[in-house]
Amino acid sequence: QVQLVESGGGSVQAGGSLRLSCAASGYTFSRRCMGWFRQAPGKEREGVATVYTIYTGHPVTYYADSVKGRFTLSQDNAKNTLYLQMNDLKPEDTAMYYCAARGTYGDSWCPLADASVYGLWGQGTQVTISS
């Protein structure tokens, strides 16, 4: 059974940092899309960063414009864990953050704008940034 479990959320002041983790069980990263999405109260879920992993090459990563230069997505294939390092956090980053994955093998389309193509989701971890 595939399971995604997020951790690392919390409350920090603006300008601070957090690192989110997503541990995947029953699932391998190779040639599949994974990513981070977030949803603030009253807003739609939005893509933060996605990655298509190729073991024989470099992973291809996509970032939302709002987080470019501040957030970094990385992964530890040996641990089957996806990370999101978030620096210079802003109050507008406050949201529930979700780890997501596509079950389709070999499809490198990893959209930020279409959460519906990701069939696997974690339970979410709350990030709250105070000004």
Side-chain angles (χ1 to χ4, degrees):
Q1 182 179 355
V2 178
Q3 192 173 15
L4 304 176
V5 179
E6 303 98 330
S7 60
S11 299
V12 298
Q13 290 189 328
S17 298
L18 286 171
R19 188 175 82 153
L20 306 183
S21 299
C22 171
S25 58
Y27 183 87
T28 56
F29 294 172
S30 177
R31 292 183 168 79
R32 288 192 174 99
C33 288
M34 294 194 71
W36 290 95
F37 289 75
R38 67 186 181 186
Q39 188 166 20
K43 295 187 177 182
E44 292 188 356
R45 191 168 296 190
E46 62 173 350
V48 176
T50 61
V51 62
Y52 180 73
T53 305
I54 305 174
Y55 278 117
T56 56
H58 296 290
V60 180
T61 309
Y62 307 91
Y63 294 97
D65 288 342
S66 59
V67 306
K68 282 180 181 177
R70 300 189 298 122
F71 291 12
T72 303
L73 188 154
S74 63
Q75 60 216 31
D76 185 329
N77 293 329
K79 295 182 179 179
N80 241 25
T81 301
L82 194 71
Y83 302 101
L84 185 68
Q85 177 66 44
M86 306 186 295
N87 298 328
D88 190 23
L89 284 161
K90 303 176 180 181
E92 51 264 42
D93 294 319
T94 295
M96 184 72 80
Y97 283 69
Y98 298 91
C99 178
R102 294 193 67 188
T104 306
Y105 181 83
D107 188 341
S108 61
W109 185 53
C110 305
L112 287 164
D114 188 356
S116 68
V117 304
Y118 296 83
L120 305 169
W121 293 86
Q123 82 288 350
T125 185
Q126 178 67 39
V127 171
T128 303
I129 312 302
S130 58
S131 58

